[in-house]
C-alpha cells in the first residue's frame, strides 16, 4: 500500500518508536496502522471533549478573570492564582473536609468490605439475593441517594431519629443536618452506605482468585484463621485492594452530588468539599479565573493520588495480550 | 492469569472454613446467616424506606410518631408526578441520553479495546494513559469551556450536549472491560480465520464480537447505569425544563407545582421511578455486572 | 471447532438483533437531536402507554393540565374567567410570523403562571413567550443564568430577577438598562422601594413585576379569645407566644436555615434594633454597636431559652415549610412573606378565612413597625438576546396594570404598581391588602451591590448558620461576618 519511500521512512519511524526490533513485517505495519485507525475515534472523542476544554480551563486559570464587573480588566497573571490558592483558608477548609470524608469513608469501607467479602466468600443459599442487594446502593443515582438520606435524617419525620429514640440512645430528636459537628459524619455515613457494597464486591472477586490449595496447605501447616488471613490472603489480595482503594479515593475526592444535594456545604462550611467550593467560586463568586485554578488543582491532586497508587501497584498490567 | 469465564459461573468455591464439629458449624451457620440478613438489610433498608414512604398520602407521611407501613396505601404521589410534564420528559430524556451514550461508547470503545488487546501500535501507552486520566477527571474542570464550546457549535439544549460528555466519561469503563474480555478470547480462533483468508477486521466482526457478546452486554449495562446517574453536566447544560434528565429533575423537586410544601411524597415516588430501571437491570443481570466490574478492576 | 462455529452463528444473530434494537431506540431521537432544540414547553410529553392513570394527552395542549393538576390554583376557586386579563390590557396584534422570546423564570408553586402565559400568547399574536422555569430554588435560576450569560449565549431573552440579582447582573454586563422604555410617568406608578431595588449606578435595569415583603401572620381567632392584640414589640411577641403556645401548637415560627431566606429573618431583627449591614457608602457597619448581636441573641433566645420557636425551624429551607405549620394550625404566629398567603386560601388549609390576619412586624421599641426586607421580583432583558425589542414589549405588557391586577387577583402575587390596591375587587377578596400596602412603603432592600450574593453566601450565611447551631457565640459570628464582608468588598 505504501510507496517505497514511504515504507522506508515508515519502517525507520516505527522501528524508532518501538525500539527493539530492527525490521518489521508488512503485516505488523498493517497491524499498527489498523490499530491506530481503530483507536482514533476514541482518541478524537477524548481530545475534543476532555483534553481541549481542559486546556481552556488551564488557560483561564492564568488570568484574573472575574465576571462580576463587565469592564474590569482581565490581565494575564501567570501563576498568581495558584499562589493565592496556597494561602486560601477556604481552600484548606475544603481540603480538610474532603480529606476527612474521603479518608474515613475509604478506611471504613475497606475494613467493612473486607469483613463482608470474607464472610460471603463461600457458596450458600441466597447468594444471588445478597449479590443483587449489594449492587443496589451502587446503582442508585447519587442524587436519589442524597435525597433518601435527607429524608432519613429529617429532624421531625426522619427514621434515624425515630430508631435512635426507640432504642433509647437519645432523648430528643437530633437535627442531623444542622448541627455542624454532626453533619459531616452524617454525610460520611451516607457515602459509606453507598459504596461499601461495591468495595465488598471488588474484594470478593479478588478473594475468589485465591486457589483453595493455598488455604488447605496453610491449614495443614496448622495456621490459625488469623494467620491464614494475614499471611496468605492479604498478600495475594494486595493488588485488588490497591485498585479498589485507588478508585474509591478518586471518587471520594471528586464528591459533588452528595454534598450539593444533601447539605449544600452547610452548616457553616463544614461540608464544603473541594469540588463544591470550586463550583461556588464559579457560580456565586463569578470568579472564573480562580475557579479554573481550583479545578486544575483538583485535577492535579487526583493525578498525584493516582500516581502514588500506581507506583505502589506497579505499572498497569493492561498491556497487549496475545 | 485469570479467566473471567471462571468468575462468571457460580460454582462452589474452595471454602476456607474449618471443618469443625457439626454443632460448631451449626452455630456458625446461624451466625453467618444472621450476618447475611443483616447485611442485606443494611444495603436495602434506605431504599425500602423510600419505597414505603412513596406509598403514603400527604397526611400519613407527616404523622408522628412515624408510621412505618404505608397504611392506608396511597398511589397519589405517583399520580401526581406523572402529571408533571417535566417529570415525564425527564424520564424520556434520561432514556435517550443514556442509551445513545451507551451505544456510541460501545462502538467507539469496542474497536479501541480490540486494538489494545490484539495490536501493537505507536502511542499505545499514551492512549492507555489518556484513558486512565479520563477516568480520574473531575468533571468540574471542564464544564465552563465545554459549555462555551457546545454553544459555539450550536448545540444549546441539544441532546448531543449531554450525550458527548457521557460518551467520553464512560469510555474508560468500556475500554477496560472490553479489553479484558477480548484479551481472554483464545487467539487461535482469529488466527485460524485469518489463515482462511479473513482480514483482521473481518475476524473482529465475525468472531471476536459474537464471542465477546456477553462482555459487550455487560459493558453496556455498566455504561447505561453510569450515564443514567450523571448529574453535573445534565444540571449545567440544559436550560429548557423539558430537556432535563431524571437526575436533575429529582434534585429540583422541591416545591413541585402541586403542593407548595416540601413534597417528600413526590420526591420519594420520583426516586423510586427513576431508580427502578437500574434496580431491575441490576437484579436481572447481577452476575454479568459483577463479573464485568471485577474483570476490569482485578486486571487493572 | 464446529460447535464453536455453531455458537458463533447463533451468537451473531443474537448480537445483530440486539445491536439493531439498541441502536434504533436512541437512533430516532438522535436524528431529532441533530436538528434544532425542542420548542415551547406547551407541548406535552410523548404518550407513554405504560404510565398509570395518565390521561391520553398526546395531542392536548398544556392548558388542560393546570386546570386539573393544580387543583385550586392559588386563592380560592376562581373560575377561569378572570385569568385572561381583560381586553383592556395592552396587547400586540399583527400579521406576520411571531417572535418567540424565551423567559427564564423561577419556580411557580401556585400553578397560575402557565395560565397567564397562555393568555398572553393568545392575545399577543406577534410575540410568543416560551416560559421556562429554571430549577426549584432562586439559586438554581441564578446559576442557570450565569451559565448562559457567562457564555454570551443568546438562548434567553427575559429573565426573572430577584432583587439582589439586579445589581449583580447589571455590573456583569448581562442585562440592558430599561430607562428608555420605562418613562418617569410610568415609574411614578410603582412603589418607590421597588424602583430603588432595580436601580444601579443611576440607571434602571429591570421593571418591577411583583412585590413582596414580610408580615406577621397571626391567629386572630385565638388572639381574640385571649383578648390579645397583635404584638408591636419583641417583648409583646414573646408574651403573646407564651400565652398561646400549647403542646400541639408553637407560639411563633420563622425560617432560620443557613440560606438567604434564613438570614433575611435575622437582618430584619438587625434593622429592628437599629443597626444595618452596610451604610450608604457600602462600608461594613454590622459590627458597630450591638444591634447585630442583640438581634441574633434575641432569635437564639426565642429558640433555645424561651422555646417559642421550634428547633426544627433551622431546617425550614422553604417559606412553604413555615406556612404549612401555620395553615395546619400548628403555629399561632409566623413571620413570612406575603407571597405565601395564597396557600391559606387552598382547600387543604385547616385555618380558614376569618381565623387569621396579618400585622406589621414588631420592633424593639414599637414606635414604628420593624422594617421588612424587600423581596420583590423584577423582569430584565438579557444583553445577549437577539430579540430585545420583542422582549421589551413583552415585559411592558407583563408589568402593565391589567396583568398585575390579575396576577394578584388570581395568583396572589402582590403588585408593584400602587394603583392595583385601590381596585374594589382586590379589596374585597384580600382584606389584608391594606396591611400589605402600608408595609410596602417601608420596605428596605438588602445591600444594593453586585457583591451581595457572594457576601450572603460566603460571609453572612455561614456565620449565621454557625451561630444558630450554637457552634459560635453571636459576637464572634458578627465579627466573622464583618471581616469576610470587608474582604469580599475589596474585590
Amino acid at each position: 500500500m505504501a510507496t517505497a519511500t514511504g515504507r522506508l521512512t515508515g519502517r525507520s519511524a516505527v522501528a524508532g518508536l518501538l525500539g527493539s526490533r530492527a525490521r518489521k513485517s508488512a503485516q505488523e505495519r498493517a497491524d499498527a496502522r489498523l490499530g491506530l485507525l481503530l483507536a482514533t475515534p476514541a482518541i478524537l472523542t477524548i481530545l475534543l471533549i476532555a483534553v481541549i476544554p481542559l486546556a481552556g480551563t488551564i488557560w483561564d486559570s492564568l488570568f484574573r478573570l472575574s465576571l462580576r464587573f463587565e469592564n474590569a480588566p482581565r490581565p494575564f497573571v501567570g501563576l498568581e492564582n495558584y499562589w493565592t490558592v496556597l494561602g486560601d483558608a477556604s481552600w484548606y477548609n475544603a481540603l480538610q473536609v474532603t480529606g476527612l470524608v474521603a479518608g474515613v469513608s475509604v478506611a471504613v469501607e475497606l475494613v467493612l468490605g473486607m469483613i463482608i467479602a470474607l464472610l460471603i466468600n463461600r457458596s450458600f443459599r441466597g447468594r444471588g439475593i445478597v449479590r443483587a442487594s449489594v449492587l443496589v446502593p451502587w446503582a442508585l443515582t447519587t442524587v436519589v441517594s442524597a435525597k433518601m438520606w435527607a429524608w432519613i435524617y429529617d429532624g421531625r419525620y426522619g427514621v434515624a431519629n425515630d430508631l435512635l429514640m426507640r432504642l433509647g440512645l437519645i432523648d430528643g430528636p437530633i437535627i442531623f443536618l444542622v448541627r455542624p459537628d454532626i453533619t459531616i459524619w452524617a454525610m460520611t455515613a451516607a457515602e459509606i452506605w453507598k459504596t461499601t457494597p461495591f468495595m465488598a464486591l471488588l474484594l470478593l472477586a479478588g478473594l475468589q482468585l485465591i486457589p483453595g490449595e493455598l488455604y488447605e496447605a496453610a491449614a495443614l501447616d496448622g495456621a490459625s484463621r488469623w494467620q491464614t488471613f494475614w499471611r496468605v490472603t492479604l498478600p495475594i489480595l494486595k493488588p485488588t485492594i490497591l485498585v479498589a482503594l485507588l478508585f474509591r479515593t478518586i471518587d471520594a475526592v471528586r464528591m459533588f452530588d452528595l454534598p450539593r444535594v444533601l447539605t449544600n456545604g452547610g452548616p457553616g462550611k463544614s461540608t464544603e468539599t473541594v469540588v463544591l467550593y470550586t463550583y461556588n467560586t464559579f457560580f456565586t463568586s463569578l470568579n472564573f479565573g480562580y475557579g479554573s485554578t481550583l479545578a486544575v488543582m483538583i485535577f492535579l491532586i487526583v493525578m498525584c493520588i493516582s500516581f502514588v497508587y500506581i507506583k505502589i501497584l506497579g505499572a498497569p498490567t493492561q498491556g497487549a495480550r496475545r | 492469569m485469570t479467566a473471567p469465564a471462571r468468575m462468571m459461573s457460580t460454582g462452589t468455591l474452595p471454602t476456607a472454613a474449618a471443618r469443625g464439629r457439626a454443632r460448631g458449624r451449626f452455630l456458625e451457620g446461624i451466625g453467618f446467616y444472621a450476618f447475611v440478613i443483616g447485611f442485606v438489610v443494611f444495603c436495602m433498608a434506605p431504599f425500602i424506606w423510600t419505597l414505603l414512604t412513596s406509598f403514603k398520602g400527604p397526611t400519613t407521611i407527616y404523622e408522628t410518631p412515624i408510621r412505618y407501613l404505608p397504611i392506608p396505601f396511597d398511589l397519589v404521589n405517583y399520580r401526581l408526578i406523572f402529571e408533571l410534564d417535566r417529570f415525564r420528559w425527564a424520564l424520556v430524556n434520561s432514556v435517550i441520553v443514556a442509551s445513545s451514550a451507551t451505544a456510541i461508547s460501545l462502538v467507539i470503545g469496542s474497536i479501541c479495546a480490540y486494538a489494545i488487546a490484539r495490536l501493537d501500535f505507536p502511542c499505545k501507552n499514551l492512549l492507555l494513559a489518556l484513558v486512565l486520566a479520563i477516568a480520574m477527571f473531575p468533571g468540574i474542570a471542564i464544564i465552563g469551556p465545554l459549555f462555551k464550546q457546545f454553544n459555539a457549535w450550536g448545540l444549546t439544549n441539544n441532546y448531543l450536549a449531554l450525550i458527548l460528555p457521557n460518551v467520553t466519561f464512560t469510555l474508560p469503563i468500556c475500554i477496560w472491560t472490553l479489553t479484558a474480555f477480548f484479551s481472554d478470547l483464545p487467539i487461535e480462533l482469529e488466527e485460524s480465520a485469518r489463515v482462511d483468508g479473513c482480514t483482521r477486521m473481518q475476524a473482529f466482526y465475525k468472531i471476536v464480537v459474537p464471542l465477546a457478546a456477553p462482555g459487550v452486554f455487560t459493558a453496556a449495562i455498566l455504561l447505561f447505569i453510569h450515564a443514567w446517574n450523571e448529574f453535573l453536566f445534565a444540571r449545567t447544560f440544559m436550560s429548557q425544563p423539558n430537556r432535563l434528565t431524571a437526575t436533575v429533575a429529582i434534585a429540583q423537586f422541591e416545591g413541585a407545582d402541586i403542593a407548595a410544601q416540601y413534597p417528600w411524597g413526590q420526591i420519594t415516588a420520583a426516586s423510586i421511578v427513576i431508580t427502578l430501571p437500574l434496580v431491575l437491570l441490576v437484579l436481572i443481570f447481577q452476575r454479568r455486572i459483577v463479573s464485568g466490574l471485577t474483570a476490569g478492576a482485578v486486571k487493572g | 471447532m464446529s460447535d464453536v462455529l455453531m455458537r458463533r452463528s447463533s451468537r451473531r444473530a443474537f448480537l445483530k438483533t440486539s445491536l439493531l434494537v439498541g441502536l434504533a431506540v436512541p437512533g430516532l431521537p438522535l436524528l431529532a437531536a441533530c436538528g434544532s432544540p425542542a420548542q415551547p414547553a406547551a407541548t406535552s410529553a410523548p404518550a407513554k402507554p405504560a404510565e398509570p392513570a395518565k390521561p391520553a394527552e398526546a395531542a392536548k395542549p398544556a392548558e388542560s393540565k393546570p386546570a386539573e393538576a393544580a387543583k385550586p390554583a392559588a386563592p380560592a376557586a376562581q373560575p377561569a374567567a378572570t385569568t385572561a386579563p381583560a381586553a383592556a390590557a395592552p396587547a400586540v396584534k399583527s400579521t406576520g410570523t411571531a417572535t418567540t422570546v424565551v423567559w427564564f423564570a423561577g419556580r411557580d408553586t401556585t400553578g397560575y403562571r402557565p395560565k397567564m402565559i397562555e393568555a398572553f400568547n393568545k392575545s399577543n399574536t406577534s410575540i410568543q413567550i416560551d416560559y421556562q422555569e429554571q430549577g426549584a430554588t432562586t439559586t438554581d435560576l441564578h446559576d442557570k443564568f450565569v451559565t448562559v450569560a457567562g457564555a454570551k449565549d443568546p438562548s434567553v431573552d427575559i429573565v426573572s430577577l430577584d432583587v439582589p440579582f439586579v445589581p449583580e447582573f447589571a455590573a456583569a454586563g448581562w442585562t440592558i438598562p430599561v430607562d428608555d422604555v420605562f418613562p418617569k410617568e410610568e415609574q411614578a406608578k410603582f412603589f418607590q422601594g421597588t424602583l430603588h431595588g432595580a436601580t444601579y449606578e443611576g440607571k434602571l435595569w429591570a421593571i418591577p413585576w411583583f412585590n413582596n415583603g414580610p408580615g406577621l401572620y397571626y391567629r386572630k381567632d385565638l388572639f381574640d379569645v385571649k383578648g390579645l392584640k397583635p404584638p408591636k414589640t419583641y417583648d409583646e411577641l414573646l408574651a403573646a407566644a407564651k400565652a398561646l403556645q400549647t403542646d400541639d401548637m408553637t407560639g411563633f415560627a420563622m425560617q432560620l436555615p443557613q440560606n438567604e431566606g434564613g438570614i433575611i429573618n435575622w437582618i430584619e431583627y438587625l434593622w429592628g434594633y437599629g443597626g444595618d449591614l452596610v451604610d450608604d457608602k457600602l462600608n461594613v457597619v454590622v459590627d458597630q454597636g450591638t444591634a447585630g448581636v442583640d438581634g441574633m441573641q434575641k432569635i437564639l433566645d426565642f429558640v433555645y431559652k424561651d422555646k417559642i420557636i421550634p428547633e426544627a425551624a433551622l431546617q425550614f429551607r422553604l417559606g412553604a415549610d413555615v406556612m404549612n405549620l401555620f395553615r395546619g394550625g400548628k403555629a399561632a404566629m409566623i413571620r413570612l412573606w406575603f407571597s405565601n398567603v395564597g396557600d391559606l386560601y387552598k382547600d387543604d388549609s385547616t385555618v380558614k378565612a376569618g381565623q387569621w390576619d396579618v400585622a406589621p412586624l414588631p420592633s424593639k421599641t414599637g414606635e414604628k413597625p420593624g422594617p421588612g426586607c424587600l423581596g420583590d421580583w423584577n423582569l430584565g432583558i438579557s444583553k445577549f438576546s437577539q430579540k430585545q425589542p420583542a422582549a421589551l414589549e413583552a415585559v411592558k405588557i407583563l408589568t402593565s396594570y391589567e396583568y398585575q391586577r390579575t396576577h394578584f387577583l388570581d395568583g396572589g402575587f402582590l403588585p408593584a404598581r400602587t394603583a392595583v390596591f385601590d381596585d374594589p375587587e382586590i379589596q374585597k377578596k384580600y382584606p389584608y391588602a391594606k396591611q400589605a400596602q402600608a408595609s410596602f412603603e417601608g420596605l428596605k432592600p438588602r445591600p444594593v451591590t453586585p457583591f451581595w450574593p457572594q457576601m450572603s453566601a460566603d460571609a453572612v450565611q455561614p456565620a449565621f448558620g454557625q451561630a444558630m447551631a450554637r457552634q459560635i457565640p453571636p459576637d464572634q459570628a458578627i465579627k466573622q461576618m464583618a471581616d469576610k464582608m470587608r474582604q469580599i468588598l475589596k474585590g
Side-chain angles (χ1 to χ4, degrees), chain B residues 166-180:
Chain B
N166 272 311
V167 167
T168 313
F169 289 102
T170 51
L171 269 180
I173 310 176
C174 186
I175 293 178
W176 278 331
T177 315
L178 289 180
T179 307

Side-chain angles (χ1 to χ4, degrees), chain B residues 113-148:
Chain B
Y114 182 70
I116 296 177
R118 293 283 188 245
L119 303 170
D120 248 339
F121 54 93
C123 311
K124 190 170 184 175
N125 283 326
L126 179 64
L127 172 64
L128 289 172
L130 208 57
V131 169
L132 188 68
I134 294 303
M136 312 290 178
F137 221 73
I140 190 143
I142 58 167
I143 35 172
L146 198 58
F147 183 72
K148 278 197 245 185

Side-chain angles (χ1 to χ4, degrees), chain C residues 221-259:
Chain C
D221 53 346
L222 301 175
F223 269 63
D224 287 343
V225 160
K226 295 247 176 168
L228 293 167
K229 288 235 165 308
K232 287 206 165 53
T233 68
Y234 298 136
D235 293 331
E236 281 175 30
L237 175 67
L238 178 60
K242 280 213 163 122
L244 292 167
Q245 187 151 304
T246 67
D247 281 339
D248 213 25
M249 183 178 73
T250 179
F252 183 49
M254 53 187 188
Q255 280 175 276
L256 294 173
Q258 184 181 314
N259 62 12

Side-chain angles (χ1 to χ4, degrees), chain A:
Chain A
M1 278 181 273
T3 62
T5 29
R7 200 176 300 157
L8 276 171
T9 42
R11 187 191 301 176
S12 42
V14 166
L17 275 171
L18 295 182
S20 38
R21 313 213 202 150
R23 250 174 20 116
K24 295 219 147 268
S25 67
Q27 179 59 53
E28 278 165 346
R29 277 198 312 276
D31 276 356
R33 270 196 292 269
L34 181 65
L36 267 182
L37 189 69
L38 292 179
T40 302
I43 296 181
L44 263 184
T45 311
I46 294 177
L47 280 180
L48 270 180
I49 310 292
V51 175
I52 293 183
L54 180 66
T57 301
I58 297 178
W59 182 245
D60 279 346
S61 73
L62 302 174
F63 288 78
R64 190 177 310 139
L65 184 63
S66 166
L67 298 187
R68 183 157 313 287
F69 291 103
E70 184 187 17
N71 300 318
R74 306 211 165 135
F76 179 85
V77 292
L79 296 176
E80 183 188 296
N81 283 330
Y82 291 89
W83 208 236
T84 314
V85 175
L86 293 179
D88 184 354
S90 300
W91 167 250
Y92 286 114
N93 176 60
L95 271 183
Q96 193 183 339
V97 170
T98 311
L100 213 58
V101 176
V104 169
S105 63
V106 173
V108 171
E109 284 164 24
L110 186 60
V111 171
L112 271 187
M114 192 78 242
I115 297 176
I116 292 167
L118 282 172
L119 285 164
I120 298 187
N121 184 25
R122 44 170 114 171
S123 72
F124 58 91
R125 274 214 309 238
R127 195 133 159 254
I129 300 182
V130 175
R131 198 166 31 204
S133 53
V134 157
L135 288 176
V136 166
W138 166 76
L140 225 51
T141 316
T142 313
V143 170
V144 169
S145 170
K147 286 283 184 193
M148 262 173 27
W149 280 99
W151 177 230
I152 292 175
Y153 282 139
D154 188 86
R156 286 159 295 162
Y157 311 112
V159 184
N161 271 319
D162 194 60
L163 287 176
L164 286 175
M165 286 200 288
R166 280 181 206 243
L167 290 175
L169 291 173
I170 55 176
D171 292 321
I174 305 177
I175 311 194
F176 288 95
L177 300 180
V178 164
R179 297 261 307 260
D181 41 339
I182 295 188
T183 313
I184 189 170
W185 302 119
M187 189 169 90
T188 310
E191 175 72 1
I192 291 177
W193 174 80
K194 184 158 196 315
T195 42
T196 299
F198 181 62
M199 183 74 110
L201 215 56
L202 288 182
L203 295 174
L204 182 66
L207 279 178
Q208 291 180 346
L209 299 178
I210 301 180
E213 302 84 58
L214 285 179
Y215 289 124
E216 286 168 14
L220 282 176
D221 285 347
S224 71
R225 288 252 202 112
W226 177 252
Q227 283 173 320
T228 315
F229 173 70
W230 200 251
R231 299 271 179 82
V232 178
T233 317
L234 218 44
I236 301 186
L237 217 45
K238 183 173 140 189
T240 312
I241 293 180
L242 283 171
V243 169
L245 280 185
L246 171 64
F247 280 116
R248 273 303 308 138
T249 313
I250 302 294
D251 277 344
V253 168
R254 293 186 299 178
M255 208 186 330
F256 174 71
D257 307 2
L258 183 61
R260 173 92 176 129
V261 174
L262 189 66
T263 62
N264 201 18
K269 297 268 186 184
S270 61
T271 55
E272 192 177 66
T273 59
V274 285
V275 179
L276 193 56
Y277 177 49
T278 309
Y279 183 87
N280 286 336
T281 306
F282 276 119
F283 287 97
T284 308
S285 310
L286 297 187
N287 194 338
F288 275 65
Y290 194 58
S292 301
T293 315
L294 294 173
V296 174
M297 292 288 287
I298 297 177
F299 184 59
L300 289 175
I301 292 176
V302 169
M303 288 282 110
C304 284
I305 298 179
S306 315
F307 280 143
V308 166
Y309 272 112
I310 292 178
K311 270 283 172 279
I312 304 180
L313 253 182
T317 52
Q318 200 82 60
R321 306 265 192 98
R322 297 276 155 165

